[in-house]
Amino acid sequence: MINFLKSIKGLILGGAFCLLATSINVLADEERMNAYIQVKDWLVSQQVISDDSGDPQHLNALINANSPYLLSHALQPIDWLEWRSDFNLGSGNDKKLLFISIGYSTCHWCHVMAQESFSDEVIANILNKSYVSVKVDREQWPLVDNRFKSALEAMKGDAGWPINAILTPDGQLVWIDSYVNKQEFNKVLKGLAIRWQSKPSSVIALANRIEEKLLLDKPPVLLSKSINLSRKEWQQWLLQIHNDISTGLAKQQVANGPRFLRAYWAIGLLDDYLRTDNSLFLNQVKLHVDKILASPTYDAVDGGFHRYAVDSNWQVPHYEKMLYTQANMMRVLARLYAVTGNIKYDRAIIQTAKWTEQRLGQLNGIGSAMSAMSENVEGLYYQMTPSQLLSIDLSKDWPNSQAVQEMVKQRQDRIPPPIDEKVILSWNSLYIVALLEAYQVTRHIQLLNSAKLISQQLWNNLVKGDLVYRSAFANNVAIDAEIEDLAWFATSQYMLSFYENWSKVDSNTSDNRISPLSRAEFLLNKVKIRLSDLNELNTVLNLNRDGELPSARSATFSALILGYELGYNRQYQHYATAVSSIGLNSHSQLINEYSYVIQQAKITENVQVNQARFARGNGKVTAKIIGNQINLYFSLRKNWHINAHKLTNNKFIATNVIVDLEESKVIFPEPVKKLLGFDDSYLALLEGDFIVSIVDVEENLKSVNLQLTLQACSDSLCLLPEVISIFVNSQPQT
């Protein structure tokens, strides 16, 4: 719990009362009704009201919100205010306590509490009389959610949603909890309201005791300097951490539920398998993922992963489907397919991507989630008989099997769960990353095309001039992008830039934001500017713990390192160092931020899959197994070269390809000979687009490790030699 009270006072409270005081800004009844008429059809489609509903009995200010979750509370009798970024303005109101409720659209217990308590007239009367009530969509405001979630964890030991909190007017926490039943909630609200009116000093005393508790539970200050370990020391740490992760996955096989999909553990272990060839890492991930795929937690009929399982054996899913869950698991599946060649992982990728884009797709990107609830029953849409469950055989092309197709038709007669149509920039960007990583190992062109389309939708809808927004809904954008939004969007653009036609891009200078690379630079420059503010930097440093999404710190660090490697902008390196300046002094801390460990491991030793960049982003190579040979397709920007495999000047390093395949041989193209500005002798060079082939390899080769050694030069300087490790997998011909 880091600086909780300070952040609550500064970023949350004042403006709530300012908004209350300036009631002129609240929609008049007539304006609210007009807003209701505009969204009535949507409310019907989301099963909030029925088609024959008359005029609503209650209509609060949330009717004008830009969030499906908030709109679902607009017909409640509570005088809700919507959370806004200017809540740090204005002064407090000492007459009323502040009630803050945080949730999200597909949260089961949020809906239960909404029906039980927030629709109850008695509770609404207490809140309207004695509290200022504020609703927060946690997906729109992750930093606000993180602060209250941390407080709830400190007070209760764990956290879940909805999060409900009561604070004094000057921002001291008085009470916080997750779901509570109507009777208990009524008792808390009424009791604190009476105490505040009759004896406010006792409430302040309670708040002071809670403040002491939060301060005592504040994590110890970590090392205030960057990790400065040698390559060997990092490798030793990584091996221990990865062994700990593997042990943790093994223990989870017998642990009680609920069980979440440990995507970042799986990604890191598979990356380390590529580095070490340690089959323990691969086997643990396969065991973990195969059990999920064979269970109802994976929807083998429509595609897509449910968020988690209630039990320990993946048999009882919590049926909501989140966009980030699909992105995370597609990344895992892509790595598993690359290293195993098992076609079921390929099929699961395609089926999941198809579901995501068909069911969550919006005009401005991909929506956030599908609810667990259908016709007010959790999981009703997904019900199958035991015989239907047994009929799904993942060893076949099951999406096209007769059994699955019959279940698809059966579901067409059911009412599907409602969708949270809100488009979130960071989640969409993570999904683009997943699409590109999946394309990298499968070469299914529809994955690349989807990544390009969604990227363009995000750029068109969430970037307005120099402003970037976090979310979009119903043709409106809302909320300035957080640093993690900018970082993930930049990362997706850097990855997408690999597929640019360089000759076309280099000749087009009319718009410096047309290409993904220029867009990435625009976004990362915004990250750099934000991090120059010490408060923003400290915020990112403190967001150093993985949840279902990777930590904001690791996402920011990764984007900055990528920007530095591809453009050699030393400012990016400087801020990457600043972002990693909070030291980590135990394995357990690193396990809790394993996404950051993955990035550090790549710096130590990176094995890339099927493709790589070099020469500070001015060169790229794609490897493919074709029949009984391996082709390496090189491309270099104009005025960039690499040395040929046979040199005319021994001062430089020749290009070399090492592959552990008996009887194979490497065939290089004929070099060109040129004079460059830094040497007075003709040099043998390779430039532009060319192919290096490894021929006479074994038939039906599934995968192979390559090591490239090369030295790149521009017309005016030579870079240091580079060693590139590439894992090449065979890919389906599509």
Side-chain angles (χ1 to χ4, degrees):
M1 195 61 259
I2 299 176
N3 293 332
F4 172 74
L5 295 175
K6 179 180 178 182
S7 64
I8 291 298
K9 292 177 185 177
L11 293 176
I12 295 176
L13 286 181
F17 300 108
C18 179
L19 286 177
L20 182 70
T22 56
S23 58
I24 191 172
N25 292 327
V26 178
L27 289 173
D29 290 344
E30 183 178 349
E31 292 174 316
R32 288 185 184 179
M33 183 56 68
N34 288 335
Y36 169 76
I37 292 170
Q38 294 296 318
V39 299
K40 181 178 178 180
D41 288 345
W42 179 88
L43 291 169
V44 171
S45 72
Q46 297 296 296
Q47 304 171 30
V48 177
I49 60 173
S50 62
D51 194 24
D52 57 356
S53 296
D55 291 345
Q57 183 179 359
H58 303 286
L59 202 54
N60 61 53
L62 296 184
I63 196 62
N64 203 39
N66 197 44
S67 155
Y69 174 65
L70 300 185
L71 280 171
S72 71
H73 290 71
L75 277 61
Q76 294 169 349
I78 299 169
D79 294 333
W80 289 115
L81 294 175
E82 178 182 359
W83 182 270
R84 286 176 48 172
S85 59
D86 59 359
F87 271 23
N88 61 328
L89 302 176
S91 59
N93 180 329
D94 61 4
K95 294 182 180 179
K96 289 190 175 185
L97 296 169
L98 176 64
F99 173 65
I100 294 178
S101 181
I102 304 171
Y104 58 103
S105 186
T106 58
C107 164
H108 173 72
W109 290 106
C110 298
H111 288 290
V112 172
M113 195 162 182
Q115 293 170 2
E116 286 183 353
S117 296
F118 297 149
S119 298
D120 183 78
E121 297 279 358
V122 174
I123 285 178
N125 286 336
I126 298 172
L127 284 171
N128 294 342
K129 178 181 178 181
S130 302
Y131 294 84
V132 174
S133 301
V134 179
K135 249 305 170 186
V136 184
D137 183 336
R138 69 175 289 252
E139 296 170 354
Q140 288 186 312
W141 298 98
L143 296 183
V144 176
D145 175 66
N146 182 74
R147 294 185 183 104
F148 280 98
K149 178 175 176 285
S150 298
L152 182 55
E153 287 173 339
M155 297 298 296
K156 298 287 185 176
D158 56 15
W161 292 271
I163 295 176
N164 298 294
I166 296 173
L167 297 93
T168 64
D170 68 348
Q172 286 187 285
L173 187 64
V174 176
W175 174 86
I176 190 166
D177 211 332
S178 184
Y179 165 80
V180 291
N181 63 45
K182 183 169 70 173
Q183 183 178 1
E184 182 181 351
F185 188 49
N186 186 308
K187 182 179 178 180
V188 169
L189 291 176
K190 188 180 295 184
L192 282 173
I194 291 172
R195 288 177 68 183
W196 180 250
Q197 293 300 321
S198 62
K199 194 176 181 181
S201 60
S202 67
V203 178
I204 293 172
L206 172 61
N208 288 335
R209 291 195 296 273
I210 291 175
E211 181 173 1
E212 291 175 3
K213 163 71 175 172
L214 293 177
L215 291 173
L216 286 173
D217 284 355
K218 183 177 175 180
V221 177
L222 303 178
L223 302 175
S224 59
K225 59 182 180 180
S226 301
I227 298 174
N228 189 23
L229 301 177
S230 68
R231 179 185 175 116
K232 182 177 180 181
E233 288 171 328
W234 250 111
Q235 288 174 333
Q236 290 173 343
W237 268 51
L238 290 170
L239 182 60
Q240 179 62 53
I241 294 160
H242 294 159
N243 283 327
D244 291 346
I245 293 286
S246 291
T247 302
L249 282 177
K251 287 180 178 178
Q252 282 190 9
Q253 304 303 322
V254 295
N256 293 326
R259 293 193 64 186
F260 286 84
L261 294 71
R262 301 288 185 176
Y264 289 96
W265 287 13
I267 290 170
L269 291 174
L270 290 174
D271 283 356
D272 210 53
Y273 168 73
L274 292 176
R275 281 187 289 268
T276 65
D277 200 32
N278 186 334
S279 59
L280 170 67
F281 301 145
L282 173 59
N283 291 337
Q284 286 291 349
V285 175
K286 283 179 60 181
L287 179 66
H288 183 64
V289 175
D290 287 351
K291 198 161 188 176
I292 294 169
L293 285 176
S295 77
T297 302
Y298 179 71
D299 180 6
V301 178
D302 287 342
F305 293 83
H306 299 297
R307 184 173 164 227
Y308 64 90
V310 176
D311 69 319
S312 61
N313 205 34
W314 304 107
Q315 297 304 305
V316 185
H318 178 48
Y319 285 95
E320 64 184 325
K321 289 182 178 178
M322 313 299 294
L323 174 59
Y324 59 72
T325 305
Q326 315 317 314
N328 288 339
M329 293 307 295
M330 282 174 60
R331 298 182 71 194
V332 175
L333 291 170
R335 283 165 169 78
L336 273 173
Y337 177 68
V339 299
T340 68
N342 192 322
I343 198 67
K344 72 179 177 183
Y345 302 130
D346 174 274
R347 295 294 182 265
I349 290 170
I350 297 301
Q351 192 185 36
T352 298
K354 181 179 178 181
W355 175 86
T356 300
E357 288 156 40
Q358 287 185 346
R359 299 308 299 268
L360 298 184
Q362 309 295 319
L363 292 177
N364 47 16
I366 305 293
S368 300
M370 175 181 271
S371 173
M373 307 291 287
S374 179
E375 301 178 74
N376 292 319
V377 178
E378 181 176 356
L380 177 64
Y381 178 75
Y382 302 99
Q383 284 184 354
M384 289 187 282
T385 65
S387 61
Q388 286 177 322
L389 280 170
L390 291 173
S391 69
I392 299 174
D393 184 353
L394 297 189
S395 66
K396 303 175 183 177
D397 184 16
W398 79 88
N400 296 315
S401 69
Q402 182 179 350
V404 168
Q405 288 303 307
E406 288 177 356
M407 284 182 270
V408 169
K409 291 179 182 178
Q410 186 181 77
R411 286 188 182 179
Q412 290 173 352
D413 296 328
R414 300 175 182 175
I415 298 175
I419 302 297
D420 185 335
E421 299 159 340
K422 178 175 73 271
V423 172
I424 298 176
L425 181 55
S426 58
W427 297 15
N428 273 253
S429 300
L430 177 61
Y431 182 64
I432 294 172
V433 169
L435 287 169
L436 294 175
E437 290 182 352
Y439 173 70
Q440 198 170 319
V441 302
T442 67
R443 293 296 161 180
H444 294 309
I445 192 63
Q446 68 265 34
L447 299 173
L448 177 60
N449 290 339
S450 291
K452 290 179 177 179
L453 174 62
I454 297 166
S455 173
Q456 191 63 46
Q457 289 174 322
L458 297 179
W459 188 264
N460 290 344
N461 291 286
L462 279 90
V463 181
K464 307 292 184 182
D466 283 337
L467 300 177
V468 184
Y469 293 91
R470 174 170 172 80
S471 70
F473 171 65
N475 297 320
N476 295 312
V477 294
I479 307 170
D480 291 343
E482 304 283 3
I483 288 183
E484 67 173 335
D485 294 303
L486 299 169
W488 274 114
F489 198 16
T491 296
S492 72
Q493 297 307 290
Y494 277 126
M495 292 180 63
L496 196 57
S497 72
F498 187 93
Y499 304 100
E500 288 181 295
N501 183 327
W502 279 350
S503 60
K504 181 179 178 180
V505 171
D506 289 345
S507 64
N508 189 342
T509 58
S510 61
D511 183 348
N512 65 357
R513 294 192 196 170
I514 283 180
S515 73
L517 185 59
S518 60
R519 290 176 178 177
E521 291 292 311
F522 164 78
L523 295 162
L524 202 57
N525 189 58
K526 285 190 167 294
V527 172
K528 180 191 71 176
I529 293 170
R530 295 271 289 270
L531 291 175
S532 64
D533 183 325
L534 187 58
N535 289 328
E536 293 259 22
L537 176 59
N538 285 333
T539 296
V540 172
L541 287 174
N542 289 330
L543 295 174
N544 64 335
R545 188 182 175 105
D546 293 335
E548 292 177 84
L549 288 167
S551 75
R553 182 171 83 124
S554 68
T556 305
F557 176 81
S558 176
L560 289 164
I561 287 295
L562 190 57
Y564 170 68
E565 290 175 346
L566 296 184
Y568 206 63
N569 185 324
R570 290 189 178 275
Q571 285 190 312
Y572 296 157
Q573 184 188 43
H574 167 76
Y575 283 105
T577 301
V579 166
S580 63
S581 65
I582 182 168
L584 296 157
N585 52 17
S586 76
H587 292 149
S588 63
Q589 289 172 12
L590 286 170
I591 289 172
N592 287 333
E593 197 186 9
Y594 195 56
S595 61
Y596 176 73
V597 173
I598 295 170
Q599 303 307 322
Q600 287 287 355
K602 287 181 178 179
I603 295 173
T604 305
E605 182 180 358
N606 191 17
V607 179
Q608 303 181 71
V609 179
N610 291 333
Q611 61 191 45
R613 287 195 250 208
F614 55 90
R616 299 177 182 171
N618 292 294
K620 56 188 177 183
V621 57
T622 301
K624 294 183 181 179
I625 299 173
I626 302 176
N628 65 342
Q629 72 181 48
I630 304 165
N631 284 348
L632 303 177
Y633 300 89
F634 284 82
S635 182
L636 288 118
R637 284 190 184 274
K638 185 179 180 181
N639 302 323
W640 280 88
H641 330 268
I642 61 173
N643 297 322
H645 67 296
K646 291 183 179 179
L647 297 177
T648 57
N649 189 326
N650 291 329
K651 291 189 301 184
F652 304 105
I653 301 297
T655 297
N656 190 26
V657 179
I658 299 175
V659 56
D660 187 18
L661 294 172
E662 294 182 1
E663 300 181 1
S664 65
K665 58 183 178 180
V666 182
I667 299 177
F668 290 89
E670 285 296 316
V672 297
K673 293 187 177 180
K674 281 189 173 182
L675 280 173
L676 300 182
F678 52 82
D679 197 87
D680 57 3
S681 61
Y682 279 89
L683 302 177
L685 304 170
L686 301 173
E687 60 185 16
D689 299 332
F690 58 91
I691 300 173
V692 174
S693 296
I694 305 167
V695 299
D696 298 333
V697 304
E698 62 192 73
E699 292 284 351
N700 301 316
L701 181 67
K702 297 297 184 184
S703 62
V704 66
N705 286 294
L706 303 177
Q707 189 176 85
L708 308 181
T709 302
L710 55 84
Q711 185 175 25
C713 306
S714 69
D715 287 349
S716 57
L717 63 89
C718 261
L719 305 181
L720 293 173
E722 300 177 56
V723 178
I724 303 168
S725 297
I726 302 179
F727 177 86
V728 190
N729 76 294
S730 61
Q731 300 156 358
Q733 300 302 306
T734 57

